[in-house]
Amino acid sequence: MLAALVTASSKDRGSKWFSLIDKVWRDSTLQAAWQQVKSRRGAGGVDGISIARFEAQAEKYLGELAEQLKTGHYRADAVRRVEIPKTGGGSRPLGIPTIKDRVVQAAVKRVMEPIFETRFCETSYGFRPGRSCKDALRAVDGWLRQGYTHVVDADLKSYFDSIPHERLKARVAERISDSKVLALIDGWLQQDIVQELKRWTPTSGTPQGAVLSPLLANIYLHPLDEHMRASGYKMVRYADDFVILCQSAHEAQQALVEVQRWMTDNALELNMDKTSLGDCRQKGQGFEFLGYHFEAGRRLVRKKSLTKFKDAIRERTGRTRSLSMRDIVAELNPVLRGWYAYFRHAIATTFVPLDAFVRRRLRAILRRREKRVGPGLCLADHRRWPNSHFAELGLFTMYAVRRAASQPR
């Protein structure tokens, strides 16, 4: 089914799709959607049904959803809203639909995505099949190497909460004319939000955390991608995070004006306090994108990413942990490997202090176990448990891996 949609869409980019709902409630689609939702785990919604409870009666629940979709009796439940703390202060709202609603949204996404993917621009990387943060970073790096060093680092103000419903639905309707699928999307956009004792119906936006939200967000910003490409600008976008790379300060200023105009025309707003413009070759004029900080010809790890990494290490290296040191190391290694795999292109000096930080945390556990207290123990601890001690336990060391990778072969 998906292959047929891709083939047909690629042949006729202006085509509309009139009959899709039968593909949504098809057993194979719902089964695949459920497997996707289950693999991502996550908390349950307002109905109290968890992943485990749904799994125990999956056939029953999927059958009920299929019947409701066939007969038009499916209705979305309210979305449970929680606040997720941000590194450095503040919080980000996260919407948690019920498991049932996530399954139906995943099914709709499987049907809709191939239709819109054929139109999306190469400059868009976020939440798209076969594309990743690393691809977006490679694109940015490529333009910088070609001399596009004057960068507009744009920040959208509460994008997911600000998308205007009617305009979004109009953009979806440009490709989809199945009234039942459009009604599903309309129902999700109007789902009540429940947060503690408060309940309200949103008039704009799509909840961060909903399965379909990233696709809808890309659909709404797709005209921006087209507009900037037609205007000759080099833009790289990952969801609502994007940069525009230019060859001069004048061009960058023009690009910023163009983006501001587009945002105003489309009922969105730039957060000017976080939007910057500068020549990233100059110290103090760098920009941040997807966890990295680009400045003066170097790729650094941004401070928030470093803080988040250290917090993750602290969570796993509390001094009162009772696991064996080998088990603690085994628990740390996936975190270290994953973090290094993403940030391995940062300057090499990034990794030495972070490796030392990890070992200090481990030595603090060992010191407590031996009831060794008092000031001035750092050097003694290092002698008692040298770096080689942790290497023998299999601790992943980022700088060693980076150095080995840079050696000529």
Side-chain angles (χ1 to χ4, degrees):
M1 179 192 73
L2 295 174
L5 284 171
V6 171
T7 301
S9 292
S10 62
K11 288 180 179 178
D12 184 2
R13 289 176 174 264
S15 61
K16 279 194 173 187
W17 296 85
F18 292 87
S19 181
L20 293 173
I21 192 64
D22 61 312
K23 299 168 182 62
V24 174
W25 53 251
R26 186 176 295 181
D27 180 65
S28 58
T29 308
L30 289 175
Q31 286 286 351
W34 156 236
Q35 292 302 320
Q36 176 188 331
V37 171
K38 182 173 73 169
S39 68
R40 295 182 179 178
R41 309 308 298 176
V46 295
D47 63 356
I49 297 178
S50 64
I51 290 286
R53 181 175 167 185
F54 192 101
E55 185 175 20
Q57 303 183 69
E59 293 304 316
K60 172 192 170 186
Y61 287 134
L62 293 178
E64 290 174 351
L65 287 175
E67 184 62 26
Q68 290 169 3
L69 290 166
K70 286 180 189 179
T71 60
H73 289 98
Y74 167 82
R75 296 292 182 273
D77 291 312
V79 172
R80 183 165 67 90
R81 183 167 181 165
V82 297
E83 299 291 331
I84 305 299
K86 284 185 177 181
T87 303
S91 63
R92 175 174 62 89
L94 180 67
I96 305 177
T98 63
I99 307 299
K100 293 179 181 180
D101 289 341
R102 293 197 321 244
V103 169
V104 180
Q105 286 195 29
V108 170
K109 182 173 181 287
R110 290 178 70 83
V111 173
M112 283 179 54
E113 191 169 61
I115 295 171
F116 288 93
E117 268 295 317
T118 58
R119 300 186 69 187
F120 285 161
C121 298
E122 289 295 309
T123 55
S124 167
Y125 294 87
F127 305 106
R128 295 184 59 190
R131 304 189 136 224
S132 68
C133 292
K134 292 181 181 180
D135 296 320
L137 289 166
R138 274 191 286 270
V140 167
D141 198 52
W143 290 122
L144 292 175
R145 291 176 185 275
Q146 293 183 49
Y148 291 82
T149 58
H150 293 266
V151 180
V152 179
D153 181 8
D155 186 87
L156 282 172
K157 193 171 185 178
S158 303
Y159 173 60
F160 280 85
D161 287 338
S162 302
I163 304 173
H165 287 172
E166 294 305 317
R167 296 189 186 197
L168 173 60
K169 290 187 290 184
R171 287 180 187 171
V172 174
E174 289 174 4
R175 301 303 310 280
I176 294 176
S177 290
D178 187 317
S179 60
K180 292 184 178 179
V181 171
L182 295 176
L184 289 176
I185 295 171
D186 186 50
W188 289 321
L189 292 176
Q190 296 186 53
Q191 282 175 284
D192 279 0
I193 307 294
V194 175
Q195 185 173 19
E196 297 178 347
L197 299 178
K198 295 184 291 185
R199 184 182 184 115
W200 71 94
T201 302
T203 57
S204 63
T206 178
Q208 292 191 63
V211 177
L212 197 60
S213 288
L215 176 58
L216 295 177
N218 275 334
I219 289 171
Y220 196 73
L221 284 181
H222 169 63
L224 172 64
D225 299 335
E226 291 186 311
H227 177 75
M228 298 305 288
R229 182 179 62 181
S231 301
Y233 294 111
K234 313 302 181 186
M235 188 172 81
V236 178
R237 181 173 68 82
Y238 193 94
D240 60 331
D241 191 4
F242 63 91
V243 291
I244 306 165
L245 301 103
C246 306
Q247 291 183 304
S248 69
H250 177 68
E251 183 186 358
Q253 186 62 53
Q254 286 183 316
L256 178 57
V257 171
E258 197 67 29
V259 167
Q260 286 177 306
R261 182 182 298 120
W262 190 93
M263 294 296 167
T264 300
D265 291 344
N266 289 271
L268 297 175
E269 184 180 354
L270 285 179
N271 184 345
M272 297 309 297
D273 291 335
K274 295 183 178 180
T275 295
S276 63
L277 188 156
D279 181 356
C280 68
R281 294 171 300 182
Q282 306 302 318
K283 189 173 182 180
Q285 296 188 39
F287 67 96
E288 293 185 347
F289 189 59
L290 300 179
Y292 278 95
H293 182 84
F294 295 81
E295 184 173 316
R298 301 187 301 169
R299 236 203 234 196
L300 310 166
V301 179
R302 71 172 188 167
K303 292 181 180 179
K304 286 184 179 180
S305 300
L306 291 171
T307 300
K308 190 174 180 180
F309 168 78
K310 290 183 177 181
D311 287 343
I313 298 303
R314 289 188 182 98
E315 287 177 8
R316 293 164 175 79
T317 55
R319 297 187 185 188
T320 59
R321 295 213 65 183
S322 58
L323 289 176
S324 71
M325 185 54 61
R326 190 174 295 276
D327 286 341
I328 293 174
V329 166
E331 191 178 288
L332 281 175
N333 278 342
V335 177
L336 298 172
R337 288 194 178 97
W339 197 87
Y340 175 78
Y342 187 81
F343 287 107
R344 68 181 185 275
H345 296 296
I347 59 173
T349 53
T350 300
F351 306 107
V352 173
L354 294 180
D355 287 331
F357 170 76
V358 173
R359 287 190 292 263
R360 280 199 307 274
R361 297 289 302 179
L362 296 176
R363 289 188 182 106
I365 296 174
L366 294 171
R367 184 195 308 141
R368 182 181 178 86
R369 289 178 180 179
E370 293 194 1
K371 296 181 173 56
R372 301 176 74 240
V373 297
L377 292 175
C378 290
L379 183 58
D381 288 346
H382 194 280
R383 288 172 177 168
R384 190 175 184 85
W385 301 293
N387 295 355
S388 58
H389 173 76
F390 300 106
E392 290 171 2
L393 292 173
L395 180 67
F396 181 84
T397 306
M398 293 182 283
Y399 180 70
V401 175
R402 173 62 179 267
R403 184 176 57 183
S406 63
Q407 296 297 321
R409 297 183 180 179

